[in-house]
Amino acid sequence: FGERRSKPAPIKHLGNACPLDPSLQYGLAEARSHLIAVGCVPGRVLRRNPTGRDPESQVIGYEIHGAKATLAQRGTRIDIVVAR
């Protein structure tokens, strides 16, 4: 739960798009910071049952209007899906 990384994950800018990669294993606060840094807006926090052995409160995905998202236009409100 309280693990700290020695170096933050690099932030990629893809022009007018926000990359959304749940494999970076962010916690909720890190995911919000990442969304803001790449130009998107953090939305609701959705809690779902994890599909594997995802730690509680780890980000397991991103959604836009209920659909899974891996890339979004900058300024889009992104819902953050975390493991229960």
Side-chain angles (χ1 to χ4, degrees):
F1 170 60
E3 292 184 41
R4 298 189 69 94
R5 293 190 176 94
S6 60
K7 200 161 71 163
I11 297 198
K12 301 175 189 174
H13 286 283
L14 302 172
N16 200 28
C18 304
L20 307 170
D21 186 3
S23 68
L24 294 176
Q25 298 182 345
Y26 285 143
L28 183 56
E30 291 173 307
R32 283 186 174 148
S33 296
H34 172 74
L35 289 176
I36 292 167
V38 297
C40 282
V41 179
R44 300 174 297 168
V45 175
L46 307 173
R47 301 204 179 270
R48 302 265 167 76
N49 290 328
T51 55
R53 293 185 173 186
D54 300 314
E56 188 175 323
S57 298
Q58 179 179 321
V59 173
I60 57 174
Y62 299 93
E63 292 185 0
I64 301 171
H65 301 296
K68 289 183 181 179
T70 57
L71 192 64
Q73 184 175 358
R74 294 181 83 187
T76 303
R77 183 170 304 277
I78 309 295
D79 294 333
I80 303 168
V81 182
V82 297
R84 286 191 218 212

